[in-house]
Amino acid sequence: MAQFFRDEQGTPFAALLGQYWDRQGFASGNITVGGTYTDASPFRYCGNDGTCKPGAHDPLASLDVLGEIQQGIQHEHWQPSPDTEFMLFLPFITDHCVRAVTGCGNFFHSSVDDAQGVPLIYGVISSAAHDQPCLVHSPTPSGDCAADAVIATLSHEQYESITDPEPGFPAWLYDADLPNTFTEIGDICSGLYGPVGADGANITLNGHPYLVQQMWSNHANGCALQ
């Protein structure tokens, strides 16, 4: 996962993000890895009051995964900011529910603000769907089926987090002119990869092959990888 993030730096794929902007300016494709943290302890049950205790919901609730992210931040002394995202990779075959209205799913992104209004932007990725060990073409780019399955959906949440870091705010509107009514650049192109090579990859980033989902490109007026 860390290699994928590093390999995005300086690529046309990352440059696609520069088509989107807010009051602070254009989104940046300058992607760096701030660090990694592996937590081998059991999940905890987290409540609305911000406290966590041993044991967890099954499946995990949104507060449980947020508590896990905050634990990693505290352990590594990281600092949330508008330009920082924290990505949580769940253990294999671990499901979670975002909220009652959307049910359970394998990946999502969101954010919460602290008392000073600083956003904690984060994404949650499960290792793969429960009924299939891999969701990518065969063969897979790296030969690690589980890792490639994660990367195939990881960029979806990463790029949506960058272009729509605080979902729920009126940054994105439904577009009746599109063939579906999804809102974000990954949702519009969900499941679309374009041509895939014999190695199972559809893109090469700094010398390494990957299979990533296409994103909505304003320049191309369609789904693309740049």
Side-chain angles (χ1 to χ4, degrees):
M1 303 305 108
Q3 175 185 288
F4 171 71
F5 288 135
R6 287 192 294 267
D7 283 345
E8 291 178 287
Q9 175 66 26
T11 64
F13 184 48
L16 182 150
L17 294 165
Q19 300 179 27
Y20 298 88
W21 64 93
D22 60 15
R23 294 179 182 178
Q24 302 299 317
F26 288 92
S28 172
N30 183 21
I31 298 168
T32 59
V33 180
T36 61
Y37 167 68
T38 301
D39 184 6
S41 64
F43 280 106
R44 300 173 299 159
Y45 179 98
C46 299
N48 289 318
D49 60 358
T51 62
C52 299
K53 59 185 179 182
H57 298 90
D58 184 12
L60 300 173
S62 57
L63 289 175
D64 298 330
V65 296
L66 182 57
E68 179 64 33
I69 292 170
Q70 291 171 327
Q71 178 170 280
I73 290 172
Q74 294 170 2
H75 185 276
E76 296 297 310
H77 305 289
W78 290 324
Q79 295 295 324
S81 78
D83 297 321
T84 304
E85 179 177 14
F86 299 91
M87 194 70 73
L88 173 65
F89 298 95
L90 293 174
F92 192 70
I93 310 182
T94 302
D95 202 5
H96 62 273
C97 296
V98 183
R99 58 182 73 88
V101 295
T102 58
C104 301
N106 292 308
F107 47 89
F108 72 98
H109 72 97
S110 190
S111 68
V112 294
D113 289 353
D114 65 15
Q116 287 71 45
V118 177
L120 166 58
I121 301 168
Y122 65 96
V124 180
I125 309 290
S126 68
S127 60
H130 295 183
D131 56 346
Q132 292 179 293
C134 293
L135 298 179
V136 296
H137 300 76
S138 181
T140 64
S142 72
D144 186 330
C145 184
D148 286 321
V150 172
I151 291 173
T153 56
L154 167 60
S155 58
H156 176 119
E157 299 304 323
Q158 179 195 10
Y159 279 41
E160 287 185 343
S161 295
I162 293 171
T163 56
D164 186 21
E166 298 190 87
F169 288 82
W172 286 79
L173 300 176
Y174 290 93
D175 191 336
D177 294 328
L178 295 175
N180 54 43
T181 56
F182 294 117
T183 56
E184 299 173 313
I185 66 172
D187 291 333
I188 295 172
C189 305
S190 182
L192 300 180
Y193 296 92
V196 178
D199 60 352
N202 66 345
I203 196 171
T204 299
L205 303 174
N206 283 310
H208 295 118
Y210 295 100
L211 179 68
V212 297
Q213 182 202 295
Q214 294 178 330
M215 303 293 164
W216 181 261
S217 167
N218 289 328
H219 291 167
N221 194 33
C223 300
L225 294 175
Q226 61 182 17

Short mmCIF file of all heavy atoms in Angstrom, two decimals, residues 93-129:
data_model
loop_
_atom_site.label_atom_id
_atom_site.label_comp_id
_atom_site.label_asym_id
_atom_site.label_seq_id
_atom_site.Cartn_x
_atom_site.Cartn_y
_atom_site.Cartn_z
N ILE A 93 -11.48 -10.25 5.93
CA ILE A 93 -12.85 -10.65 6.29
C ILE A 93 -13.31 -9.95 7.56
O ILE A 93 -13.72 -10.57 8.54
CB ILE A 93 -12.97 -12.18 6.41
CG1 ILE A 93 -12.38 -12.87 5.18
CG2 ILE A 93 -14.43 -12.59 6.53
CD1 ILE A 93 -12.49 -14.38 5.20
N THR A 94 -13.20 -8.64 7.57
CA THR A 94 -13.73 -7.82 8.66
C THR A 94 -14.67 -6.80 8.03
O THR A 94 -14.25 -6.00 7.21
CB THR A 94 -12.61 -7.10 9.42
OG1 THR A 94 -11.69 -8.07 9.94
CG2 THR A 94 -13.18 -6.28 10.56
N ASP A 95 -15.92 -6.83 8.42
CA ASP A 95 -16.91 -5.94 7.82
C ASP A 95 -17.25 -4.82 8.80
O ASP A 95 -17.01 -4.92 9.99
CB ASP A 95 -18.18 -6.70 7.46
CG ASP A 95 -19.00 -5.98 6.37
OD1 ASP A 95 -18.51 -4.95 5.86
OD2 ASP A 95 -20.09 -6.44 6.06
N HIS A 96 -17.81 -3.76 8.25
CA HIS A 96 -18.19 -2.62 9.07
C HIS A 96 -19.42 -1.97 8.45
O HIS A 96 -19.71 -2.16 7.27
CB HIS A 96 -17.04 -1.61 9.15
CG HIS A 96 -16.67 -1.05 7.82
ND1 HIS A 96 -15.76 -1.67 6.99
CD2 HIS A 96 -17.10 0.04 7.15
CE1 HIS A 96 -15.64 -0.98 5.88
NE2 HIS A 96 -16.44 0.07 5.93
N CYS A 97 -20.12 -1.19 9.25
CA CYS A 97 -21.29 -0.47 8.78
C CYS A 97 -21.04 1.02 8.96
O CYS A 97 -20.67 1.46 10.06
CB CYS A 97 -22.54 -0.87 9.54
SG CYS A 97 -23.00 -2.60 9.28
N VAL A 98 -21.22 1.79 7.91
CA VAL A 98 -20.95 3.23 7.98
C VAL A 98 -22.03 3.91 8.79
O VAL A 98 -21.79 4.60 9.75
CB VAL A 98 -20.88 3.83 6.56
CG1 VAL A 98 -20.54 5.31 6.64
CG2 VAL A 98 -19.86 3.08 5.72
N ARG A 99 -23.27 3.72 8.39
CA ARG A 99 -24.41 4.32 9.07
C ARG A 99 -25.66 3.58 8.63
O ARG A 99 -25.65 2.86 7.63
CB ARG A 99 -24.50 5.82 8.75
CG ARG A 99 -24.62 6.13 7.28
CD ARG A 99 -24.65 7.63 7.04
NE ARG A 99 -23.35 8.22 7.24
CZ ARG A 99 -22.43 8.31 6.27
NH1 ARG A 99 -22.68 7.83 5.07
NH2 ARG A 99 -21.28 8.89 6.49
N ALA A 100 -26.73 3.76 9.38
CA ALA A 100 -27.93 2.97 9.14
C ALA A 100 -28.49 3.17 7.74
O ALA A 100 -29.01 2.25 7.12
CB ALA A 100 -28.99 3.32 10.19
N VAL A 101 -28.38 4.40 7.21
CA VAL A 101 -29.02 4.67 5.93
C VAL A 101 -28.27 4.06 4.75
O VAL A 101 -28.85 3.86 3.68
CB VAL A 101 -29.16 6.20 5.70
CG1 VAL A 101 -30.10 6.79 6.72
CG2 VAL A 101 -27.80 6.88 5.77
N THR A 102 -26.97 3.75 4.90
CA THR A 102 -26.22 3.18 3.79
C THR A 102 -25.87 1.72 4.00
O THR A 102 -25.38 1.09 3.08
CB THR A 102 -24.93 3.98 3.57
OG1 THR A 102 -24.15 3.96 4.78
CG2 THR A 102 -25.21 5.40 3.18
N GLY A 103 -26.12 1.19 5.19
CA GLY A 103 -25.83 -0.21 5.44
C GLY A 103 -24.35 -0.49 5.55
O GLY A 103 -23.56 0.38 5.90
N CYS A 104 -23.98 -1.73 5.28
CA CYS A 104 -22.60 -2.17 5.46
C CYS A 104 -21.88 -2.20 4.12
O CYS A 104 -22.48 -2.42 3.08
CB CYS A 104 -22.57 -3.55 6.10
SG CYS A 104 -23.40 -3.61 7.70
N GLY A 105 -20.59 -2.01 4.16
CA GLY A 105 -19.82 -2.00 2.93
C GLY A 105 -18.37 -2.25 3.19
O GLY A 105 -17.92 -2.35 4.34
N ASN A 106 -17.59 -2.37 2.12
CA ASN A 106 -16.19 -2.72 2.22
C ASN A 106 -15.26 -1.52 2.27
O ASN A 106 -14.11 -1.65 2.62
CB ASN A 106 -15.80 -3.62 1.06
CG ASN A 106 -16.47 -4.98 1.16
OD1 ASN A 106 -16.38 -5.63 2.18
ND2 ASN A 106 -17.15 -5.39 0.11
N PHE A 107 -15.73 -0.34 1.87
CA PHE A 107 -14.84 0.82 1.87
C PHE A 107 -15.67 2.10 1.87
O PHE A 107 -16.78 2.14 1.34
CB PHE A 107 -13.89 0.80 0.68
CG PHE A 107 -14.54 0.50 -0.64
CD1 PHE A 107 -15.05 1.52 -1.43
CD2 PHE A 107 -14.64 -0.80 -1.10
CE1 PHE A 107 -15.65 1.26 -2.64
CE2 PHE A 107 -15.25 -1.08 -2.32
CZ PHE A 107 -15.75 -0.04 -3.09
N PHE A 108 -15.10 3.15 2.47
CA PHE A 108 -15.75 4.45 2.46
C PHE A 108 -14.73 5.49 2.91
O PHE A 108 -13.65 5.17 3.38
CB PHE A 108 -16.98 4.48 3.39
CG PHE A 108 -16.67 4.47 4.86
CD1 PHE A 108 -16.66 5.65 5.60
CD2 PHE A 108 -16.42 3.28 5.53
CE1 PHE A 108 -16.39 5.64 6.96
CE2 PHE A 108 -16.15 3.26 6.89
CZ PHE A 108 -16.14 4.45 7.61
N HIS A 109 -15.08 6.77 2.75
CA HIS A 109 -14.26 7.85 3.28
C HIS A 109 -15.17 8.84 3.98
O HIS A 109 -16.35 8.96 3.66
CB HIS A 109 -13.44 8.53 2.18
CG HIS A 109 -14.24 9.39 1.26
ND1 HIS A 109 -14.36 10.76 1.41
CD2 HIS A 109 -14.98 9.07 0.16
CE1 HIS A 109 -15.11 11.25 0.45
NE2 HIS A 109 -15.52 10.25 -0.32
N SER A 110 -14.62 9.57 4.94
CA SER A 110 -15.40 10.52 5.70
C SER A 110 -14.46 11.50 6.40
O SER A 110 -13.24 11.49 6.16
CB SER A 110 -16.27 9.79 6.74
OG SER A 110 -17.20 10.67 7.33
N SER A 111 -15.01 12.34 7.25
CA SER A 111 -14.20 13.27 8.03
C SER A 111 -14.99 13.74 9.24
O SER A 111 -16.22 13.73 9.23
CB SER A 111 -13.76 14.48 7.19
OG SER A 111 -14.88 15.29 6.87
N VAL A 112 -14.26 14.12 10.27
CA VAL A 112 -14.86 14.74 11.45
C VAL A 112 -13.98 15.91 11.85
O VAL A 112 -12.76 15.89 11.65
CB VAL A 112 -14.98 13.75 12.64
CG1 VAL A 112 -15.98 12.64 12.32
CG2 VAL A 112 -13.62 13.16 13.00
N ASP A 113 -14.58 16.97 12.38
CA ASP A 113 -13.83 18.15 12.81
C ASP A 113 -13.63 18.11 14.32
O ASP A 113 -14.52 17.69 15.07
CB ASP A 113 -14.58 19.43 12.45
CG ASP A 113 -14.58 19.70 10.95
OD1 ASP A 113 -13.88 18.96 10.23
OD2 ASP A 113 -15.28 20.63 10.52
N ASP A 114 -12.44 18.56 14.77
CA ASP A 114 -12.23 18.67 16.20
C ASP A 114 -12.82 19.99 16.71
O ASP A 114 -13.47 20.73 15.95
CB ASP A 114 -10.74 18.55 16.55
CG ASP A 114 -9.89 19.70 16.00
OD1 ASP A 114 -10.45 20.74 15.58
OD2 ASP A 114 -8.65 19.56 15.99
N ALA A 115 -12.61 20.27 17.99
CA ALA A 115 -13.22 21.46 18.60
C ALA A 115 -12.73 22.75 17.95
O ALA A 115 -13.42 23.77 17.99
CB ALA A 115 -12.92 21.48 20.10
N GLN A 116 -11.54 22.72 17.34
CA GLN A 116 -11.00 23.90 16.68
C GLN A 116 -11.36 23.97 15.20
O GLN A 116 -10.91 24.87 14.48
CB GLN A 116 -9.47 23.94 16.84
CG GLN A 116 -8.99 24.28 18.24
CD GLN A 116 -9.24 23.15 19.22
OE1 GLN A 116 -8.96 21.99 18.92
NE2 GLN A 116 -9.75 23.49 20.41
N GLY A 117 -12.14 23.00 14.74
CA GLY A 117 -12.54 22.98 13.34
C GLY A 117 -11.54 22.35 12.40
O GLY A 117 -11.69 22.44 11.17
N VAL A 118 -10.50 21.69 12.93
CA VAL A 118 -9.51 21.01 12.08
C VAL A 118 -10.09 19.65 11.67
O VAL A 118 -10.47 18.85 12.53
CB VAL A 118 -8.18 20.82 12.82
CG1 VAL A 118 -7.19 20.05 11.94
CG2 VAL A 118 -7.61 22.16 13.22
N PRO A 119 -10.16 19.36 10.38
CA PRO A 119 -10.76 18.10 9.96
C PRO A 119 -9.82 16.90 10.11
O PRO A 119 -8.62 17.01 9.86
CB PRO A 119 -11.09 18.35 8.48
CG PRO A 119 -10.04 19.33 8.04
CD PRO A 119 -9.78 20.21 9.24
N LEU A 120 -10.37 15.80 10.53
CA LEU A 120 -9.69 14.51 10.49
C LEU A 120 -10.28 13.77 9.29
O LEU A 120 -11.42 13.30 9.33
CB LEU A 120 -9.91 13.72 11.78
CG LEU A 120 -9.54 12.23 11.76
CD1 LEU A 120 -8.08 12.04 11.38
CD2 LEU A 120 -9.84 11.59 13.09
N ILE A 121 -9.54 13.73 8.20
CA ILE A 121 -9.99 13.11 6.96
C ILE A 121 -9.48 11.68 6.93
O ILE A 121 -8.29 11.43 7.15
CB ILE A 121 -9.46 13.90 5.74
CG1 ILE A 121 -9.95 15.36 5.81
CG2 ILE A 121 -9.89 13.25 4.43
CD1 ILE A 121 -9.25 16.28 4.84
N TYR A 122 -10.37 10.73 6.67
CA TYR A 122 -9.95 9.34 6.74
C TYR A 122 -10.71 8.47 5.75
O TYR A 122 -11.78 8.82 5.26
CB TYR A 122 -10.12 8.79 8.16
CG TYR A 122 -11.55 8.70 8.64
CD1 TYR A 122 -12.28 7.53 8.54
CD2 TYR A 122 -12.19 9.81 9.22
CE1 TYR A 122 -13.59 7.45 8.99
CE2 TYR A 122 -13.50 9.74 9.67
CZ TYR A 122 -14.19 8.55 9.56
OH TYR A 122 -15.49 8.47 10.01
N GLY A 123 -10.12 7.32 5.46
CA GLY A 123 -10.75 6.31 4.63
C GLY A 123 -10.63 4.96 5.30
O GLY A 123 -9.70 4.74 6.09
N VAL A 124 -11.55 4.08 5.02
CA VAL A 124 -11.55 2.73 5.60
C VAL A 124 -11.67 1.73 4.45
O VAL A 124 -12.57 1.82 3.63
CB VAL A 124 -12.72 2.54 6.59
CG1 VAL A 124 -12.69 1.13 7.17
CG2 VAL A 124 -12.64 3.58 7.70
N ILE A 125 -10.74 0.77 4.42
CA ILE A 125 -10.68 -0.22 3.34
C ILE A 125 -10.61 -1.61 3.96
O ILE A 125 -9.72 -1.89 4.76
CB ILE A 125 -9.44 0.00 2.45
CG1 ILE A 125 -9.33 1.44 1.97
CG2 ILE A 125 -9.44 -0.99 1.29
CD1 ILE A 125 -10.37 1.85 0.98
N SER A 126 -11.54 -2.50 3.58
CA SER A 126 -11.41 -3.90 3.99
C SER A 126 -10.52 -4.61 2.99
O SER A 126 -10.28 -4.13 1.88
CB SER A 126 -12.78 -4.56 4.06
OG SER A 126 -13.35 -4.69 2.78
N SER A 127 -10.02 -5.78 3.36
CA SER A 127 -9.03 -6.45 2.51
C SER A 127 -9.65 -6.98 1.22
O SER A 127 -9.01 -7.01 0.18
CB SER A 127 -8.35 -7.59 3.27
OG SER A 127 -9.32 -8.53 3.69
N ALA A 128 -10.89 -7.42 1.27
CA ALA A 128 -11.59 -7.91 0.08
C ALA A 128 -13.02 -8.24 0.47
O ALA A 128 -13.37 -8.23 1.66
CB ALA A 128 -10.90 -9.15 -0.50
N ALA A 129 -13.86 -8.51 -0.51
CA ALA A 129 -15.23 -8.89 -0.19
C ALA A 129 -15.24 -10.26 0.47
O ALA A 129 -14.32 -11.06 0.32
CB ALA A 129 -16.08 -8.91 -1.46
#
